[in-house]
Amino acid sequence: MPNNVTSTSPARASGWLSISVAKGQQWLRRSGIGGQLFSLVIVMGIFAIGTKGKYLSWPNLQVILSLTAIPAIIAIGLHQVVVLGGIDLSVEGIVALCVVFVGFLAHNKFNSNDVGLWIVPITAGIGGLAGVINGLLNTKLKIPSFISTLGMSWVLWGLAVFVSKGQTTPRTQSITCSGLALVAS
């Protein structure tokens, strides 16, 4: 009786693994994040050794992830601009303006506005409009991105202060957007 059972030879399995590793290394070189990931591993190792392993405890990692969630999202978007050879200094101004509009559009103790979940596309549209203006300043008016985005950052910060009248909007209560409860702190 012939043996119909096929198995992957060890040489074939290691060939697949070496191809996958080579493709992963090639992607890291093309994306420009290999050195950054290596630096992150070194920093984490230094902190882990310095704190005798407490740095890598689950409660500490939860705190770190919760504190870095929003800055990480912003940094990921900004990273792509830098990898493509540009610079965008207006990110903080765009974020400030969007946060002010969220405070203005959400129901709170200062106003009775409540646009529900429409707050997400409205805020994304405001940020997108600021990005389009940045792009037009850079491409149509030929202003270098460093100068145009730096100026746009100050304009957007000023607009955020103007819209908010220089006051903060504390978010200590939970808000309800069309049946979806969101807890903001």
Side-chain angles (χ1 to χ4, degrees):
M1 175 174 208
N3 186 359
N4 291 333
V5 177
T6 59
S7 64
T8 306
S9 67
R12 188 173 174 193
S14 66
W16 172 82
L17 182 62
S18 64
I19 290 171
S20 297
V21 168
K23 285 184 179 182
Q25 289 173 344
Q26 188 179 35
W27 176 82
L28 281 173
R29 271 190 243 110
R30 277 187 285 130
S31 67
I33 63 170
Q36 296 166 4
L37 290 176
F38 182 69
S39 299
L40 178 65
V41 168
I42 289 173
V43 169
M44 287 181 67
I46 290 170
F47 277 105
I49 292 169
T51 61
K52 296 181 176 64
K54 292 179 184 176
Y55 177 76
L56 296 176
S57 68
W58 182 244
N60 190 46
L61 290 177
Q62 285 179 318
V63 169
I64 291 170
L65 291 175
S66 67
L67 291 175
T68 61
I70 293 174
I73 292 169
I74 295 168
I76 289 168
L78 187 58
H79 177 263
Q80 299 305 315
V81 174
V82 173
V83 166
L84 293 173
I87 187 88
D88 188 358
L89 301 173
S90 66
V91 174
E92 288 181 351
I94 293 172
V95 170
L97 185 65
C98 290
V99 167
V100 165
F101 269 94
V102 166
F104 179 70
L105 295 172
H107 180 74
N108 54 47
K109 69 180 183 177
F110 295 110
N111 63 40
S112 61
N113 300 337
D114 190 11
V115 295
L117 289 177
W118 281 101
I119 201 165
V120 175
I122 290 170
T123 306
I126 291 168
L129 179 64
V132 167
I133 293 170
N134 275 334
L136 291 175
L137 288 172
N138 193 1
T139 58
K140 298 297 182 190
L141 296 178
K142 306 291 185 207
I143 300 173
S145 63
F146 186 88
I147 301 298
S148 64
T149 59
L150 179 63
M152 187 60 129
S153 177
W154 286 101
V155 167
L156 295 173
W157 268 107
L159 188 58
V161 170
F162 177 76
V163 169
S164 68
K165 297 179 181 134
Q167 298 179 1
T168 60
T169 305
R171 303 293 313 160
T172 56
Q173 73 277 9
S174 64
I175 57 174
T176 304
C177 293
S178 303
L180 177 68
L182 303 171
V183 177
S185 57

